[in-house]
Amino acid sequence: MALLNSLFTWIMKKRIHQIELFMKYPHDVQEEWFQSLISTAEATEWGKKYGYNSILTPEEYKERVPIQDYDDIKGYVDRMIKGEQNLIWPSDIKWFAKSSGTTSDRSKFIPVSMEALEDCHYQGGKDMLSIYCHNRPENKVFTGKSVVIGGSSQINNFSPDSYYGDLSSILIRNLPFWAEFKRTPNLEVTLNPNFEEKIEQIAQITIKENVTSLAGVPTWNIVMAKRVLDITGKSNLLEVWPNLSFYGHGGVSFKPYRDLFKQLIPSEDMYYLENYNASEGYFGLQDQSNSEDLLLMLDYGIYYEFLPMEHALEEHPKTLRLDEVEIGKNYALIISTNAGLWRYKIGDTIKFTSLSPYRFQISGRTKHYINTFGEELIVDNAEHALQIACRATDAIIRDYTAGPVYFKDGKAGAHEWIVEFEKEPGDFQAFCNTLDKTLREINSDYDAKRFRDLALTFPIIHQAEKDTFYKWMKSRGKLGGQNKVPRLANERTYLDALLKIMNT
């Protein structure tokens, strides 16, 4: 095993040189990918429609092709699901990643080409390990197994040759042999569509294994970890898996979960690495052990544009190239990919923290915010304020969501929060006060609306009982995989549904 670990580590570290190249020449790499994507798709139905054979520059591309969202490409997706090919990408597309549905109640099916699997998603997974091996050269992660909590995947009803499921399940079904060899439990258990049954099976199987790493969305890894501790009677995961040393996570912000994981894995040597992998592509990796910023991955078959959020509602907004972005500004991510997504707005917002190399933080969702009263509260604000409130009151949050309380009967509005604690604050009112105070300090629009309670009064904050969010997600059929609790909403659908559960 030691020899195998050394071999894997050597292979992974070879990739570091290539990463350093795109960090040094980011604009050249992006220009090459732009030209490659356009020329590859010339003969597709989409390429012919927009005259890709005569597009020479990104400026011409922007002029011809409008920014797309899912509704704009849905007709093409429906045809591909039924078996038509060469519509938006020349190679056959047989896999479709089903969206988690946090921005819409209806399902979205994102096309996943073999190029996207190999050169984007799997390359990102390999790079995550390469960066870990580079930063921890004495690691022993390959001496044991990795536990990955995936979703479920099934043949759809339109064609025997096209499949859909959570992105995680698509990736697991198509893993290369060497990755499959290092994973536990087996494929059948990992892709069990019954989430609660799957968690039980994973826990029962993996407690007998030498688990050295974890991967997946923090929410569902916590559910699995707690079941492992229930079964074994141990107080933390290191008593079950003494060689556990690495966790690659993504899907949701890690800030609310950090303190909880420190309890579950009480080791200063535990390495946490965030990855930004969505159904539409793999975009970023936490490449520094002393920073939470993500490195923008520029050679995965994706061409990037950045839409300043102040122009997001314009009919024909101007996007920026990579060399035009600024530090600290919020941008909606616009991508063109090797799965045939063209100028596609994925719904995430980012802000750059460095331009050499290009590193960033995920600041929220274009639809996950509260702006009912002009306060422009984004997820990044909420995560930061909750973190400060938890530190001030020795609390640990498990889940939360928030939305507006509308003007009524001449009364000012407010924000209403539902917070489920893993560890309750020593002083709940102090928690509430700190949350509001921090939001006022970091968001001037929120502070202005809170002035003398003219537009916004002090927030209404409910303390939910344990497993409230779990029960709610289960009632919506949203357990496991890439399903995520929506953090902020500009209306009350999520709030009212949760309050109904809390009051029954």
Side-chain angles (χ1 to χ4, degrees):
M1 277 298 180
L3 180 61
L4 184 64
N5 185 72
S6 298
L7 176 63
F8 270 111
T9 299
W10 177 77
I11 292 171
M12 293 301 172
K13 288 171 69 174
K14 287 184 68 177
R15 167 65 176 157
I16 294 298
H17 174 64
Q18 295 171 310
I19 293 174
E20 290 172 343
L21 278 177
F22 78 64
M23 291 169 69
K24 188 175 181 180
Y25 304 105
H27 309 129
D28 294 340
V29 171
Q30 276 289 278
E31 175 65 24
E32 288 176 9
W33 269 113
F34 169 75
Q35 298 295 344
S36 175
L37 290 169
I38 294 296
S39 62
T40 302
E42 280 182 6
T44 63
E45 184 175 305
W46 182 281
K48 291 176 181 177
K49 177 181 178 180
Y50 290 104
Y52 275 24
N53 62 346
S54 61
I55 291 178
L56 300 177
T57 67
E59 286 67 32
E60 290 178 328
Y61 178 56
K62 293 179 187 181
E63 289 173 4
R64 290 193 199 178
V65 182
I67 292 174
Q68 310 288 312
D69 62 19
Y70 186 76
D71 288 338
D72 296 317
I73 68 165
K74 187 176 183 301
Y76 291 93
V77 172
D78 290 343
R79 291 168 61 192
M80 286 187 290
I81 285 174
K82 294 176 182 177
E84 287 192 63
Q85 298 293 348
N86 202 38
L87 300 180
I88 61 175
W89 189 250
S91 64
D92 286 357
I93 294 178
K94 297 183 177 182
W95 286 94
F96 299 86
K98 187 177 180 180
S99 75
S100 59
T102 54
T103 60
S104 174
D105 285 334
R106 71 174 182 273
S107 295
K108 299 177 182 179
F109 297 93
I110 305 300
V112 182
S113 66
M114 287 309 298
E115 291 90 340
L117 275 177
E118 293 292 338
D119 301 332
C120 185
H121 294 291
Y122 287 143
Q123 187 60 56
K126 288 186 283 188
D127 282 354
M128 179 176 68
L129 291 172
S130 295
I131 287 168
Y132 171 63
C133 292
H134 178 71
N135 292 346
R136 287 281 179 88
E138 304 302 319
N139 79 85
K140 296 180 180 179
V141 71
F142 296 112
T143 61
K145 296 290 185 77
S146 177
V147 177
V148 181
I149 310 252
S152 60
S153 185
Q154 56 189 330
I155 297 175
N156 69 28
N157 298 322
F158 297 105
S159 165
D161 292 325
S162 63
Y163 309 83
Y164 70 83
D166 290 334
L167 175 67
S168 57
S169 65
I170 292 174
L171 299 181
I172 290 170
R173 276 184 178 268
N174 292 280
L175 278 175
F177 77 93
W178 60 267
E180 181 66 22
F181 174 69
K182 300 303 296 181
R183 191 183 55 75
T184 186
N186 61 34
L187 193 68
E188 182 181 358
V189 171
T190 302
L191 297 180
N192 186 344
N194 185 321
F195 179 75
E196 292 174 312
E197 186 178 282
K198 171 164 60 181
I199 289 295
E200 182 66 24
Q201 292 173 333
I202 289 175
Q204 295 286 355
I205 292 169
T206 59
I207 58 176
K208 305 179 184 74
E209 297 274 12
N210 174 28
V211 173
T212 55
S213 66
L214 305 174
V217 178
T219 315
W220 310 124
N221 272 270
I222 286 171
V223 174
M224 182 271 294
K226 287 182 174 295
R227 185 57 190 142
V228 165
L229 297 182
D230 286 342
I231 293 170
T232 60
K234 304 296 185 182
S235 60
N236 66 69
L237 290 181
L238 294 178
E239 295 178 359
V240 183
W241 302 317
N243 297 314
L244 180 62
S245 58
F246 176 64
Y247 177 32
H249 60 88
V252 297
S253 170
F254 197 56
K255 289 179 183 177
Y257 300 101
R258 187 174 302 281
D259 289 340
L260 181 52
F261 270 90
K262 285 181 179 178
Q263 286 190 346
L264 291 170
I265 311 169
S267 170
E268 293 299 319
D269 292 329
M270 185 69 185
Y271 195 105
Y272 297 94
L273 192 156
E274 182 173 359
N275 65 85
Y276 180 13
N277 191 17
S279 299
E280 299 86 355
Y282 204 123
F283 309 124
L285 276 169
Q286 184 181 349
D287 67 314
Q288 299 173 299
S289 56
N290 61 350
S291 171
E292 296 181 3
D293 297 344
L294 303 177
L295 178 68
L296 187 65
M297 307 306 286
L298 299 175
D299 63 349
Y300 286 2
I302 300 172
Y303 177 73
Y304 293 99
E305 299 173 58
F306 306 91
L307 173 57
M309 284 304 293
E310 61 265 31
H311 302 307
L313 298 180
E314 295 175 4
E315 188 173 353
H316 300 291
K318 181 181 184 300
T319 60
L320 304 179
R321 299 186 308 271
L322 184 61
D323 62 340
E324 297 175 308
V325 299
E326 299 177 41
I327 288 175
K329 289 195 171 183
N330 269 314
Y331 298 104
L333 207 53
I334 310 296
I335 59 171
S336 299
T337 78
N338 52 7
L341 298 177
W342 303 106
R343 302 202 76 206
Y344 189 82
K345 182 166 63 175
I346 67 171
D348 288 341
T349 61
I350 69 169
K351 60 180 180 182
F352 284 95
T353 56
S354 166
L355 303 183
S356 182
Y358 286 96
R359 292 194 179 97
F360 67 95
Q361 295 177 349
I362 304 168
S363 53
R365 299 277 297 174
T366 56
K367 296 184 180 180
H368 281 203
Y369 59 86
I370 309 175
N371 196 32
T372 308
F373 311 100
E375 66 274 44
E376 297 187 15
L377 185 74
I378 62 174
V379 173
D380 188 54
N381 298 156
E383 301 280 6
H384 182 75
L386 286 167
Q387 191 173 43
I388 297 298
C390 281
R391 287 177 182 170
T393 58
D394 194 28
I396 299 175
I397 285 178
R398 185 164 182 179
D399 267 311
Y400 77 92
T401 195
V405 177
Y406 304 119
F407 290 140
K408 187 177 181 181
D409 299 328
K411 296 180 180 178
H415 288 176
E416 190 166 8
W417 297 70
I418 299 174
V419 183
E420 182 180 325
F421 293 98
E422 185 67 29
K423 180 183 179 184
E424 295 182 5
D427 185 332
F428 183 67
Q429 189 57 50
F431 174 90
C432 300
N433 292 340
T434 305
L435 176 64
D436 180 60
K437 178 176 179 288
T438 306
L439 287 175
R440 296 188 70 164
E441 291 172 350
I442 64 177
N443 184 324
S444 58
D445 293 309
Y446 178 85
D447 183 51
K449 304 305 181 294
R450 285 282 291 113
F451 181 69
R452 294 183 178 176
D453 293 346
L454 291 178
L456 283 174
T457 61
F458 191 84
I460 302 165
I461 305 177
H462 305 279
Q463 188 170 340
E465 293 183 357
K466 290 285 177 66
D467 295 328
T468 295
F469 281 88
Y470 184 91
K471 292 174 184 175
W472 177 57
M473 293 291 278
K474 182 180 179 180
S475 73
R476 302 168 66 222
K478 299 286 187 183
L479 289 179
Q482 291 180 290
N483 294 305
K484 301 176 280 288
V485 172
R487 298 310 192 192
L488 303 180
N490 211 31
E491 40 81 36
R492 293 188 55 84
T493 302
Y494 305 131
L495 274 178
D496 290 338
L498 277 159
L499 288 171
K500 186 175 180 181
I501 288 177
M502 291 170 63
N503 294 327
T504 56

